[in-house]
Amino acid sequence: MVTVMRSILLILFLSSLLPPILTVDPPLPSSNGSDFIRTACNTTLYPDLCFSTLSSFANSIQSDSNRLARVAISLTLHNTLPLLSYLQNAYNRDHPTPVLRDCFENLKDAVDDMRGSMKQMKEIVSASGSVESFRFQMSNVKTWLSAALTNEYTCTDGFKDVHEDGSIKDDVCSRVDVVKKLTSNALALVNRYADESVIIS
């Protein structure tokens, strides 16, 4: 019981630390910002999902590739935290299976990875160093997000051998698949920002 409460408190704590960037939700996106997001999203593996989830932030993003990447990471984190709560509750109440426990741990690690990437992206905003320094920082961001994606895939891979009737395999995997796509899109937008900034410099 103590372990359960600690996990739930950890999730609530992480939720409270979500970047305030997601509180910006303009009702009327600017056409310029929307066009910019559409063009950027076309470089991702899931462009429709990318645009549908990010277009409402067009007024705050405008044509800022760094901010677009940060919003994408924040949005992914915002969607992962409720999934952690769902997995924790499913494990404790109805399905106390090792695969659910492992998936929960994988996604907790993914959340840490996302937070690491966001922290690094925020530091890049205020940094004014050399091209080499910028590349090093962006390499860290990519490493964090790639690790998050690996943890998400590890979660769903664990369900491959689960074949019981009435299992929550399909529900869990479909929820994690959405997070995987969001993470993939965020990584693609980070790559776009990195390539674009190096060319400009």
Side-chain angles (χ1 to χ4, degrees):
M1 185 67 180
V2 174
T3 301
V4 173
M5 289 302 299
R6 285 178 177 171
S7 296
I8 292 174
L9 288 174
L10 174 62
I11 292 169
L12 293 173
F13 174 69
L14 289 172
S15 299
S16 70
L17 295 179
L18 272 174
I21 195 170
L22 285 181
T23 61
V24 180
D25 191 8
L28 296 173
S30 67
S31 58
N32 288 341
S34 294
D35 291 343
F36 171 75
I37 293 171
R38 172 71 74 184
T39 299
C41 283
N42 285 337
T43 65
T44 70
L45 289 178
Y46 311 99
D48 291 340
L49 177 65
C50 176
F51 184 74
S52 67
T53 53
L54 295 173
S55 58
S56 60
F57 301 98
N59 280 351
S60 61
I61 292 171
Q62 292 296 321
S63 298
D64 188 334
S65 294
N66 178 289
R67 187 166 181 81
L68 176 61
R70 285 187 291 131
V71 170
I73 297 170
S74 292
L75 188 68
T76 305
L77 182 58
H78 182 74
N79 279 270
T80 307
L81 288 172
L83 182 53
L84 276 179
S85 297
Y86 166 79
L87 290 171
Q88 183 73 55
N89 291 334
Y91 178 81
N92 290 328
R93 290 189 311 198
D94 306 316
H95 303 274
T97 59
V99 68
L100 266 181
R101 182 197 59 225
D102 292 344
C103 182
F104 176 79
E105 294 299 329
N106 291 145
L107 290 186
K108 272 208 306 185
D109 290 341
V111 164
D112 290 340
D113 296 330
M114 292 174 205
R115 292 186 62 78
S117 67
M118 176 57 71
K119 181 176 182 293
Q120 186 70 81
M121 284 294 291
K122 285 182 176 179
E123 292 174 357
I124 290 172
V125 175
S126 59
S128 57
S130 64
V131 173
E132 290 74 17
S133 175
F134 174 80
R135 284 175 172 163
F136 176 74
Q137 290 175 310
M138 290 310 302
S139 176
N140 288 338
V141 175
K142 295 175 187 179
T143 297
W144 285 115
L145 285 179
S146 295
L149 198 54
T150 297
N151 278 310
E152 292 154 13
Y153 271 96
T154 300
C155 164
T156 52
D157 285 347
F159 285 91
K160 286 182 177 178
D161 296 326
V162 176
H163 306 291
E164 307 131 1
D165 292 336
S167 75
I168 62 170
K169 170 183 176 179
D170 291 342
D171 189 34
V172 171
C173 288
S174 65
R175 290 170 185 253
V176 178
D177 281 343
V178 173
V179 170
K180 287 194 291 191
K181 290 176 181 178
L182 291 172
T183 306
S184 172
N185 284 347
L187 180 56
L189 294 175
V190 164
N191 282 325
R192 181 179 184 273
Y193 166 63
D195 293 343
E196 175 186 273
S197 298
V198 170
I199 292 173
I200 292 175
S201 60

Short mmCIF file of all heavy atoms in Angstrom, two decimals, residues 112-137:
data_model
loop_
_atom_site.label_atom_id
_atom_site.label_comp_id
_atom_site.label_asym_id
_atom_site.label_seq_id
_atom_site.Cartn_x
_atom_site.Cartn_y
_atom_site.Cartn_z
N ASP A 112 10.68 10.58 -17.33
CA ASP A 112 11.96 11.18 -16.92
C ASP A 112 12.76 11.64 -18.14
O ASP A 112 13.37 12.71 -18.12
CB ASP A 112 12.78 10.17 -16.12
CG ASP A 112 12.20 9.88 -14.74
OD1 ASP A 112 11.41 10.71 -14.25
OD2 ASP A 112 12.53 8.83 -14.17
N ASP A 113 12.73 10.82 -19.19
CA ASP A 113 13.44 11.17 -20.41
C ASP A 113 12.86 12.44 -21.05
O ASP A 113 13.60 13.33 -21.50
CB ASP A 113 13.37 10.02 -21.43
CG ASP A 113 14.07 8.76 -20.94
OD1 ASP A 113 15.03 8.89 -20.16
OD2 ASP A 113 13.64 7.65 -21.32
N MET A 114 11.55 12.53 -21.09
CA MET A 114 10.89 13.71 -21.67
C MET A 114 11.23 14.96 -20.87
O MET A 114 11.49 16.03 -21.44
CB MET A 114 9.38 13.51 -21.69
CG MET A 114 8.88 12.45 -22.65
SD MET A 114 7.10 12.20 -22.46
CE MET A 114 6.92 10.51 -23.05
N ARG A 115 11.21 14.81 -19.55
CA ARG A 115 11.54 15.96 -18.72
C ARG A 115 12.99 16.40 -18.92
O ARG A 115 13.31 17.58 -18.91
CB ARG A 115 11.28 15.64 -17.25
CG ARG A 115 9.79 15.47 -16.94
CD ARG A 115 9.55 15.30 -15.45
NE ARG A 115 10.00 16.48 -14.73
CZ ARG A 115 9.31 17.62 -14.66
NH1 ARG A 115 8.15 17.72 -15.25
NH2 ARG A 115 9.78 18.64 -13.98
N GLY A 116 13.88 15.41 -19.13
CA GLY A 116 15.27 15.73 -19.41
C GLY A 116 15.42 16.49 -20.71
O GLY A 116 16.19 17.46 -20.81
N SER A 117 14.67 16.07 -21.72
CA SER A 117 14.75 16.75 -23.02
C SER A 117 14.19 18.17 -22.93
O SER A 117 14.73 19.11 -23.52
CB SER A 117 14.00 15.95 -24.10
OG SER A 117 12.60 15.94 -23.85
N MET A 118 13.10 18.33 -22.18
CA MET A 118 12.52 19.66 -22.03
C MET A 118 13.45 20.60 -21.28
O MET A 118 13.60 21.77 -21.64
CB MET A 118 11.17 19.56 -21.29
CG MET A 118 10.51 20.90 -21.00
SD MET A 118 10.23 21.90 -22.48
CE MET A 118 8.90 20.97 -23.24
N LYS A 119 14.09 20.09 -20.25
CA LYS A 119 15.04 20.90 -19.48
C LYS A 119 16.17 21.39 -20.38
O LYS A 119 16.56 22.56 -20.35
CB LYS A 119 15.60 20.08 -18.32
CG LYS A 119 16.60 20.83 -17.43
CD LYS A 119 17.02 19.97 -16.25
CE LYS A 119 17.97 20.72 -15.33
NZ LYS A 119 19.26 21.01 -15.96
N GLN A 120 16.66 20.50 -21.23
CA GLN A 120 17.75 20.88 -22.14
C GLN A 120 17.27 21.89 -23.17
O GLN A 120 17.98 22.85 -23.50
CB GLN A 120 18.28 19.63 -22.85
CG GLN A 120 19.52 19.90 -23.71
CD GLN A 120 20.76 20.20 -22.89
OE1 GLN A 120 21.43 19.32 -22.40
NE2 GLN A 120 21.07 21.49 -22.77
N MET A 121 16.06 21.72 -23.68
CA MET A 121 15.52 22.66 -24.66
C MET A 121 15.36 24.06 -24.06
O MET A 121 15.61 25.06 -24.72
CB MET A 121 14.17 22.17 -25.19
CG MET A 121 14.25 21.03 -26.19
SD MET A 121 15.04 21.52 -27.76
CE MET A 121 13.80 22.61 -28.45
N LYS A 122 14.96 24.13 -22.80
CA LYS A 122 14.81 25.42 -22.14
C LYS A 122 16.16 26.11 -21.99
O LYS A 122 16.27 27.33 -22.10
CB LYS A 122 14.16 25.25 -20.77
CG LYS A 122 12.67 24.97 -20.84
CD LYS A 122 12.10 24.85 -19.42
CE LYS A 122 10.60 24.67 -19.46
NZ LYS A 122 10.03 24.53 -18.09
N GLU A 123 17.19 25.33 -21.72
CA GLU A 123 18.53 25.90 -21.57
C GLU A 123 19.05 26.42 -22.89
O GLU A 123 19.81 27.39 -22.93
CB GLU A 123 19.47 24.84 -20.99
CG GLU A 123 19.15 24.48 -19.54
CD GLU A 123 20.00 23.33 -19.03
OE1 GLU A 123 20.79 22.77 -19.81
OE2 GLU A 123 19.84 22.98 -17.84
N ILE A 124 18.66 25.79 -23.98
CA ILE A 124 19.10 26.24 -25.31
C ILE A 124 18.52 27.60 -25.63
O ILE A 124 19.17 28.43 -26.24
CB ILE A 124 18.67 25.22 -26.39
CG1 ILE A 124 19.49 23.94 -26.24
CG2 ILE A 124 18.85 25.79 -27.79
CD1 ILE A 124 19.03 22.80 -27.12
N VAL A 125 17.30 27.87 -25.16
CA VAL A 125 16.65 29.15 -25.44
C VAL A 125 17.49 30.32 -24.93
O VAL A 125 17.64 31.33 -25.61
CB VAL A 125 15.25 29.21 -24.77
CG1 VAL A 125 14.64 30.58 -24.95
CG2 VAL A 125 14.34 28.16 -25.39
N SER A 126 18.07 30.17 -23.74
CA SER A 126 18.82 31.27 -23.13
C SER A 126 20.32 31.18 -23.41
O SER A 126 21.08 32.03 -22.99
CB SER A 126 18.59 31.27 -21.61
OG SER A 126 18.99 30.03 -21.05
N ALA A 127 20.71 30.14 -24.12
CA ALA A 127 22.14 29.96 -24.39
C ALA A 127 22.55 30.72 -25.64
O ALA A 127 21.79 30.86 -26.58
CB ALA A 127 22.46 28.48 -24.55
N SER A 128 23.76 31.20 -25.65
CA SER A 128 24.28 31.91 -26.83
C SER A 128 25.72 31.48 -27.05
O SER A 128 26.63 32.31 -27.12
CB SER A 128 24.18 33.42 -26.64
OG SER A 128 24.89 33.80 -25.46
N GLY A 129 25.93 30.19 -27.14
CA GLY A 129 27.28 29.67 -27.29
C GLY A 129 27.63 29.38 -28.73
O GLY A 129 27.01 29.89 -29.67
N SER A 130 28.61 28.53 -28.92
CA SER A 130 29.10 28.20 -30.24
C SER A 130 28.20 27.17 -30.92
O SER A 130 27.30 26.59 -30.29
CB SER A 130 30.52 27.63 -30.13
OG SER A 130 30.49 26.41 -29.40
N VAL A 131 28.47 26.95 -32.20
CA VAL A 131 27.74 25.94 -32.95
C VAL A 131 27.98 24.56 -32.34
O VAL A 131 27.08 23.73 -32.23
CB VAL A 131 28.15 25.95 -34.43
CG1 VAL A 131 27.52 24.77 -35.18
CG2 VAL A 131 27.76 27.26 -35.09
N GLU A 132 29.22 24.33 -31.90
CA GLU A 132 29.57 23.05 -31.29
C GLU A 132 28.77 22.83 -30.01
O GLU A 132 28.29 21.72 -29.73
CB GLU A 132 31.07 22.99 -30.99
CG GLU A 132 31.97 22.90 -32.20
CD GLU A 132 32.09 24.21 -32.97
OE1 GLU A 132 31.74 25.28 -32.39
OE2 GLU A 132 32.51 24.17 -34.14
N SER A 133 28.62 23.90 -29.21
CA SER A 133 27.85 23.80 -27.98
C SER A 133 26.38 23.51 -28.29
O SER A 133 25.75 22.67 -27.63
CB SER A 133 27.96 25.10 -27.18
OG SER A 133 27.13 25.06 -26.04
N PHE A 134 25.86 24.19 -29.30
CA PHE A 134 24.47 23.98 -29.69
C PHE A 134 24.25 22.53 -30.14
O PHE A 134 23.28 21.87 -29.75
CB PHE A 134 24.09 24.93 -30.82
CG PHE A 134 22.71 24.68 -31.39
CD1 PHE A 134 21.59 25.16 -30.73
CD2 PHE A 134 22.55 23.97 -32.57
CE1 PHE A 134 20.32 24.93 -31.24
CE2 PHE A 134 21.29 23.73 -33.08
CZ PHE A 134 20.17 24.22 -32.42
N ARG A 135 25.16 22.03 -30.95
CA ARG A 135 25.04 20.66 -31.43
C ARG A 135 25.10 19.65 -30.29
O ARG A 135 24.37 18.66 -30.28
CB ARG A 135 26.16 20.37 -32.45
CG ARG A 135 25.91 21.00 -33.81
CD ARG A 135 27.08 20.78 -34.74
NE ARG A 135 26.78 21.20 -36.10
CZ ARG A 135 27.69 21.42 -37.04
NH1 ARG A 135 28.98 21.25 -36.76
NH2 ARG A 135 27.32 21.80 -38.24
N PHE A 136 25.94 19.93 -29.31
CA PHE A 136 26.05 19.05 -28.15
C PHE A 136 24.74 19.03 -27.37
O PHE A 136 24.24 17.98 -26.97
CB PHE A 136 27.20 19.50 -27.25
CG PHE A 136 27.32 18.71 -25.98
CD1 PHE A 136 27.81 17.42 -25.98
CD2 PHE A 136 26.91 19.26 -24.77
CE1 PHE A 136 27.91 16.68 -24.80
CE2 PHE A 136 27.00 18.53 -23.59
CZ PHE A 136 27.50 17.24 -23.62
N GLN A 137 24.17 20.22 -27.15
CA GLN A 137 22.91 20.31 -26.43
C GLN A 137 21.78 19.60 -27.18
O GLN A 137 20.98 18.88 -26.59
CB GLN A 137 22.55 21.78 -26.19
CG GLN A 137 23.45 22.48 -25.18
CD GLN A 137 23.14 23.96 -25.07
OE1 GLN A 137 23.05 24.67 -26.06
NE2 GLN A 137 22.95 24.43 -23.85
#
